[in-house]
Amino acid sequence: MSSNEQENLLSYNGEVLIFQLSQGDLAEEGITKTSKLHVKRMTFDRSTRAFIQKSTGIFSFHGECSSFEIICCSCAADFRTGINLPCVLIRRNKKKSVFVYFLLLLHNSNKFEQRMNFTLDYEMKDDIKILNGPSILWRHNRTFFYISSKNDRIISAPVKFSSIKWAGEFENLGIILFGVEESHSTKRESSQKSSESDYIIWGTEFCAYSIENQKILNSAYFLPHAYSSVVTCIYICTIKVVNTMLRISLVALTQKNQLIWFQDGVPKRLCQLPFQDPCALQVMASGGGDLLFIVSFRSNDVCAIWKKSFQVASKWQKVKSVLVDDFIGTGTEQSLLVFKDTFNTNCLTSFKITDLSDVNYSNDTFDPMENNLVEDNLQENYALTIQALERRLQVGLASIQELQKHLLLKERVLSKSCKALVGLVQSKEYIPPCEEEDILVSLCGDKKHFPHSLDEKLSDTSHDSKYIIEKMWYRVLDDHLVVGVEIKNSFILFLKDVTLSLLVDQAYTSNPPLIQCKNSMIKLNKVSFPTTLSSPYETESEAKRIKLILHNEERKNNFHKQSSESECMQVFTAVTALSPLLAFHNFCCIVLLHARWEKTHGQFGESCTVPCGRLSLSVEDISSGKHSVTLPEKSKSFKEPIEDLFALLAVFHKFCFQITSPDYTLTSVKTWLFEHMGCETIKEFPDYFLCTILGALHGTLFNWKQKTPFEGILTIYCRNQTTLFQCLHNLTQVLPLNCVIKQLKLGSKEFLTNQLALFLEKEIITLKNSFSSAISEIESNLAQRCEIVKKNTNSNSMPKALSTGTEETIQWIREQLQQEKEQITWGMNLTLSSAIYREITLKVAEVQLESDLAAQKLNN
């Protein structure tokens, strides 16, 4: 790189962007010259262990007697699309005291867009930062200035900061500045009684200021004021709001060469750094699930500290630049260390990519082990082998635990059975406790009960329902009667194919008529987390969560299985027309629950029936609205209990739409729900939103699941299609023009899952039967062949001189041994004819086609 060129590095979506600004030569007139900003997109090739150039871009500057300079480069979100883009801040020195600044955005097509330009009469030097918007923040003479691409107007902060330790954006608070200002008490003349150390500590204090709200926040949640003179840089990991109080965890670098962990303003842990004068701090999510703090020093040294142990993990020297991103495409982050190479001025010639775990790439020519591809392959194979062995070990431990539980259960059954047998021999009656009845099995062939006798009349079985049924309720909505039944959590896992039926309770008939109704199962996640303020500098940012979701999925599965029962609410409903029932004036019916009880693990036995209770309804009750669904007004939630919500979900029509936006993030959907549709979040189920606008839309329910920033699923529960068209019409007014809305076909996921299971079972049975019949046929042919050989052998009589040991006798024995050897060889080399194999393949392919189609339907 020549002396009139500048070079900056930036990581973006796993790529390394190299910005090079070259000062142009003077033209023939000797007045103007052209400077060019070049960008190279470099990607890492694992096979060659080197960075290769993917694409390039260029932007030209024209100016009279001007020089250009790169001030800084960073990634920031464009408020027009919500997409993070690389940003470059350029300074043009036009005259002695006139400085023009340009902010350029780099798009994926390698085209630069000039987003902002402004002129200052001084040189921007201190605390320069590029934030979302994009916007620019800088300090000049203890005053901070801010300009955003939204308004192109320079705003100054009234707080006199001496330095900025952190700047970022919070939800509902906007952009926050956190830095050091002079204490109000020390701005006056210091008392002679104050010692010099007291003045050093309390002469400055921390301050947090919101630019958009123009107010000062409580800085005690961040750091104690005593650290204001020693802290050089901070990194905010998480910010939460719990009971209107900020909960902040952060790490800070100090002039004492320390890294300190603070929780809610209280120091918790400390790590002494191996080098002097730390200046920058980054966070990396490693493949092992732990976080790493990457600290850079002014002496071009770098070290990494584990978050769990808060100990130094590794350190490097003569480092030119440090970048954190997923450079090798594994879904987790790595650190790219670019070293200073005095023999080669080109960038990315001496580097190292590592996550301090399994990933370790380097092109250092002085280290033959790093350049040995065989060694790298062995290391990769070693890591994969370790992962496979760990997985097998986990599966083996799980199997051992299941066997131990099974053995304990057997021991309990045998122990109780022995006690009962001893009591029988001694003419004593053994009465087991209630909790032991479930594990004892009748040995006399008694008819199975569930879990108590259900063979008596319904009037005598109300006692049994209390063990299974948690609650039974009913609601009236429009021209529908909705009956809901909740089953106790301890029985949900043991019931399958649960349905409800309604029997008219009439005294004059012995065969009560069955009411036609539509059954459904509604399952809602009942989770509520504290409000979290999102920040682009959070340790667990959205981009990292997306990349780590596959890595952490298996680790979270066990937790979700254990907590799913307590975090979700499952209700079985039956909906029937209300008008025909009003002919009885005083209507009364019996609610029955039908299900299949699990006999063994994964196998369900015969159907069983459990009475849930009786319901009565009269015209007077309907007129007074006694059992009617009550929709909450604005800014109010459903009253406890929330059966009204389940009644709405059971009756309303369900429509599901997939919304895709190729160029813009789908932040406008939430805006549409809360501002245009007047929705309120249901407190008990925060994934669902209720429309509180009076009129035809009142009571409409929405469920918005955003898979990625550019794709989401919107589910609408409405009374009729007219209401649906109104919702979609309002939605299209706020969505970007190039958004695609696709209606998804609704089907029973449980039905498709059961269908797929049946096809897979059929496939296994077909394989088993086909190969069993083939093996039987082969063994039969082998037996016939051996029988034929045996008959031929018996026809040749044994020589009479067997006892004399003649040569004929020896030859006859040899032939017998040879025949037995051939028979053994035939049994060890059984082959299948091509006709039988084709027949088996055809049968299995037909069954596999059915299972593949069922899997495709379930996936869609």
Side-chain angles (χ1 to χ4, degrees), residues 419-429:
K419 289 182 179 180
L421 184 59
V422 170
L424 181 63
V425 173
Q426 297 177 354
S427 300
K428 295 180 181 180
E429 183 180 3

Side-chain angles (χ1 to χ4, degrees), residues 472-474 481-485 499-505 512-519 573-577 581 587-594 612-615:
M472 193 273 290
W473 50 265
Y474 55 97
L481 173 64
V482 185
V483 180
V485 174
T499 58
L500 301 179
S501 62
L502 306 179
L503 294 177
V504 178
D505 188 11
L514 183 66
I515 302 174
Q516 184 179 3
C517 57
K518 182 184 73 172
N519 279 269
T573 61
V575 181
T576 185
L581 304 179
F587 168 74
C588 183
C589 74
I590 301 172
V591 182
L592 300 178
L593 182 141
H594 310 278
C612 303
R614 287 177 170 84
L615 65 89

